[in-house]
Amino acid sequence: MRIIALSTLKSFWKDYPEYADAVDPTLTWYRLALKADWTSPSDVKEDFGNASILKDGRVVFNIAGNKYRLVVWINYAYKVIYIRFIGTHAHYDKIDANSI
């Protein structure tokens, strides 16, 4: 899969040093997703059983033991993952994951 964009994840760590503990688990997710060959939401669930499948290709991943949330939009036909949001649960509660 192609992931757009790693810079979104990096800016989260750099702009908010208090979330530096997200670096390793998020990079682990990134490496696994990069090697994945997801053609449908069920493929995502096979690799990440705790992922939440939303409408219109959106998926929510729990990162760092459910401390952070990562929202992506996946274009399965083109094998592209677009990072839409990363933040704490409190931040996540303030967004609409179905439209972000």
Side-chain angles (χ1 to χ4, degrees), residues 4-24:
I4 301 174
L6 179 59
S7 62
T8 304
L9 300 176
K10 287 181 179 179
S11 67
F12 178 67
W13 313 315
K14 291 179 182 176
D15 295 347
Y16 304 98
E18 63 270 30
Y19 305 134
D21 62 332
V23 173
D24 289 338

Side-chain angles (χ1 to χ4, degrees), residues 62-73:
N62 296 312
I63 304 293
N66 211 17
K67 185 173 181 181
Y68 301 103
R69 291 275 175 108
L70 174 65
V71 180
V72 303
W73 179 75

Side-chain angles (χ1 to χ4, degrees), residues 55-68:
K55 64 180 182 176
D56 193 34
R58 284 185 168 63
V59 180
V60 180
F61 294 94
N62 296 312
I63 304 293
N66 211 17
K67 185 173 181 181
Y68 301 103

Side-chain angles (χ1 to χ4, degrees), residues 9 13 27 39 51 53-54 77:
L9 300 176
W13 313 315
L27 285 176
T39 60
I53 307 298
L54 306 180

